[in-house]
Short mmCIF file of all heavy atoms in Angstrom, two decimals:
data_model
loop_
_atom_site.label_atom_id
_atom_site.label_comp_id
_atom_site.label_asym_id
_atom_site.label_seq_id
_atom_site.Cartn_x
_atom_site.Cartn_y
_atom_site.Cartn_z
N VAL D 41 8.56 26.45 -34.92
CA VAL D 41 8.93 25.53 -36.00
C VAL D 41 10.40 25.14 -35.90
O VAL D 41 10.73 23.95 -36.00
CB VAL D 41 8.61 26.13 -37.38
CG1 VAL D 41 9.23 25.31 -38.50
CG2 VAL D 41 7.11 26.24 -37.59
N LYS D 75 1.32 24.07 -31.66
CA LYS D 75 2.76 23.83 -31.77
C LYS D 75 2.98 22.76 -32.85
O LYS D 75 2.18 21.85 -33.00
CB LYS D 75 3.35 23.34 -30.45
CG LYS D 75 3.25 24.38 -29.35
CD LYS D 75 3.90 23.90 -28.07
CE LYS D 75 3.79 25.01 -27.05
NZ LYS D 75 4.40 24.66 -25.79
N LEU D 76 4.10 22.87 -33.53
CA LEU D 76 4.43 21.88 -34.56
C LEU D 76 4.51 20.48 -33.95
O LEU D 76 4.07 19.50 -34.56
CB LEU D 76 5.73 22.24 -35.27
CG LEU D 76 6.16 21.34 -36.42
CD1 LEU D 76 5.14 21.35 -37.55
CD2 LEU D 76 7.52 21.75 -36.95
N SER D 77 5.01 20.41 -32.75
CA SER D 77 5.15 19.10 -32.07
C SER D 77 3.79 18.47 -31.78
O SER D 77 3.70 17.27 -31.55
CB SER D 77 5.93 19.26 -30.76
OG SER D 77 5.26 20.14 -29.88
N GLU D 78 2.73 19.28 -31.80
CA GLU D 78 1.38 18.78 -31.53
C GLU D 78 0.60 18.43 -32.80
O GLU D 78 -0.57 18.08 -32.74
CB GLU D 78 0.59 19.81 -30.71
CG GLU D 78 1.18 20.06 -29.33
CD GLU D 78 0.49 21.20 -28.59
OE1 GLU D 78 -0.56 21.72 -29.08
OE2 GLU D 78 1.01 21.59 -27.54
N MET D 79 1.27 18.54 -33.95
CA MET D 79 0.60 18.25 -35.20
C MET D 79 0.13 16.78 -35.22
O MET D 79 0.90 15.87 -34.95
CB MET D 79 1.51 18.51 -36.39
CG MET D 79 0.87 18.22 -37.74
SD MET D 79 1.96 18.62 -39.13
CE MET D 79 1.76 20.40 -39.21
N LYS D 80 -1.12 16.59 -35.56
CA LYS D 80 -1.68 15.25 -35.65
C LYS D 80 -1.80 14.86 -37.13
O LYS D 80 -1.91 15.71 -37.99
CB LYS D 80 -3.07 15.21 -34.99
CG LYS D 80 -3.01 15.44 -33.49
CD LYS D 80 -4.41 15.43 -32.89
CE LYS D 80 -4.40 15.49 -31.40
NZ LYS D 80 -3.65 16.57 -30.82
N LEU D 145 7.64 20.32 -50.23
CA LEU D 145 6.45 20.47 -49.37
C LEU D 145 5.23 20.87 -50.20
O LEU D 145 4.11 20.46 -49.92
CB LEU D 145 6.71 21.49 -48.26
CG LEU D 145 7.62 21.01 -47.14
CD1 LEU D 145 7.98 22.15 -46.20
CD2 LEU D 145 6.99 19.86 -46.37
N ALA D 176 2.72 13.12 -44.69
CA ALA D 176 2.81 14.58 -44.79
C ALA D 176 3.33 15.19 -43.51
O ALA D 176 4.22 16.06 -43.53
CB ALA D 176 1.43 15.16 -45.14
N ARG D 177 2.80 14.74 -42.39
CA ARG D 177 3.26 15.27 -41.09
C ARG D 177 4.76 15.03 -40.91
O ARG D 177 5.49 15.92 -40.49
CB ARG D 177 2.47 14.63 -39.95
CG ARG D 177 2.93 15.11 -38.57
CD ARG D 177 2.17 14.45 -37.46
NE ARG D 177 2.45 13.02 -37.43
CZ ARG D 177 2.03 12.21 -36.49
NH1 ARG D 177 1.27 12.67 -35.51
NH2 ARG D 177 2.31 10.93 -36.51
N LYS D 178 5.21 13.84 -41.24
CA LYS D 178 6.62 13.51 -41.10
C LYS D 178 7.49 14.42 -41.97
O LYS D 178 8.52 14.93 -41.52
CB LYS D 178 6.85 12.05 -41.47
CG LYS D 178 8.25 11.55 -41.26
CD LYS D 178 8.35 10.07 -41.59
CE LYS D 178 9.78 9.58 -41.41
NZ LYS D 178 9.94 8.18 -41.76
N LYS D 179 7.06 14.64 -43.20
CA LYS D 179 7.84 15.50 -44.11
C LYS D 179 7.84 16.95 -43.63
O LYS D 179 8.86 17.64 -43.73
CB LYS D 179 7.30 15.39 -45.54
CG LYS D 179 7.66 14.08 -46.19
CD LYS D 179 7.22 14.01 -47.63
CE LYS D 179 7.67 12.68 -48.24
NZ LYS D 179 7.24 12.52 -49.62
N ILE D 180 6.71 17.42 -43.14
CA ILE D 180 6.62 18.78 -42.62
C ILE D 180 7.58 18.95 -41.45
O ILE D 180 8.37 19.90 -41.39
CB ILE D 180 5.19 19.13 -42.20
CG1 ILE D 180 4.28 19.27 -43.43
CG2 ILE D 180 5.15 20.41 -41.37
CD1 ILE D 180 2.80 19.28 -43.13
N LYS D 181 7.51 18.05 -40.50
CA LYS D 181 8.33 18.15 -39.29
C LYS D 181 9.83 18.06 -39.61
O LYS D 181 10.65 18.67 -38.93
CB LYS D 181 7.95 17.08 -38.28
CG LYS D 181 6.64 17.35 -37.59
CD LYS D 181 6.37 16.32 -36.51
CE LYS D 181 5.22 16.74 -35.62
NZ LYS D 181 5.07 15.84 -34.47
N ASN D 182 10.16 17.34 -40.66
CA ASN D 182 11.55 17.19 -41.05
C ASN D 182 12.03 18.38 -41.90
O ASN D 182 13.13 18.87 -41.71
CB ASN D 182 11.74 15.88 -41.83
CG ASN D 182 13.19 15.65 -42.20
OD1 ASN D 182 14.08 15.75 -41.37
ND2 ASN D 182 13.43 15.34 -43.46
N SER D 183 11.20 18.82 -42.82
CA SER D 183 11.65 19.80 -43.83
C SER D 183 11.40 21.26 -43.48
O SER D 183 12.22 22.11 -43.79
CB SER D 183 10.96 19.49 -45.18
OG SER D 183 11.31 18.22 -45.62
N PHE D 184 10.25 21.56 -42.87
CA PHE D 184 9.90 22.97 -42.69
C PHE D 184 10.88 23.70 -41.78
O PHE D 184 11.28 24.83 -42.09
CB PHE D 184 8.45 23.08 -42.19
CG PHE D 184 7.84 24.42 -42.48
CD1 PHE D 184 7.72 24.90 -43.76
CD2 PHE D 184 7.36 25.21 -41.44
CE1 PHE D 184 7.17 26.15 -44.03
CE2 PHE D 184 6.80 26.45 -41.69
CZ PHE D 184 6.70 26.92 -42.98
N PRO D 185 11.32 23.09 -40.65
CA PRO D 185 12.32 23.78 -39.84
C PRO D 185 13.62 24.07 -40.61
O PRO D 185 14.20 25.17 -40.50
CB PRO D 185 12.59 22.80 -38.68
CG PRO D 185 11.35 21.97 -38.60
CD PRO D 185 10.87 21.84 -40.03
N LYS D 186 14.06 23.13 -41.42
CA LYS D 186 15.29 23.32 -42.20
C LYS D 186 15.12 24.46 -43.21
O LYS D 186 16.05 25.23 -43.46
CB LYS D 186 15.66 22.03 -42.93
CG LYS D 186 16.10 20.92 -42.01
CD LYS D 186 16.33 19.64 -42.80
CE LYS D 186 16.62 18.45 -41.88
NZ LYS D 186 16.66 17.18 -42.61
#
Side-chain angles (χ1 to χ4, degrees):
V41 169
K75 296 182 178 181
L76 183 61
S77 61
E78 297 173 8
M79 180 177 282
K80 294 178 173 53
L145 287 172
R177 178 181 65 173
K178 185 177 178 182
K179 287 185 178 178
I180 290 166
K181 286 185 168 188
N182 183 49
S183 299
F184 202 59
K186 292 175 186 172

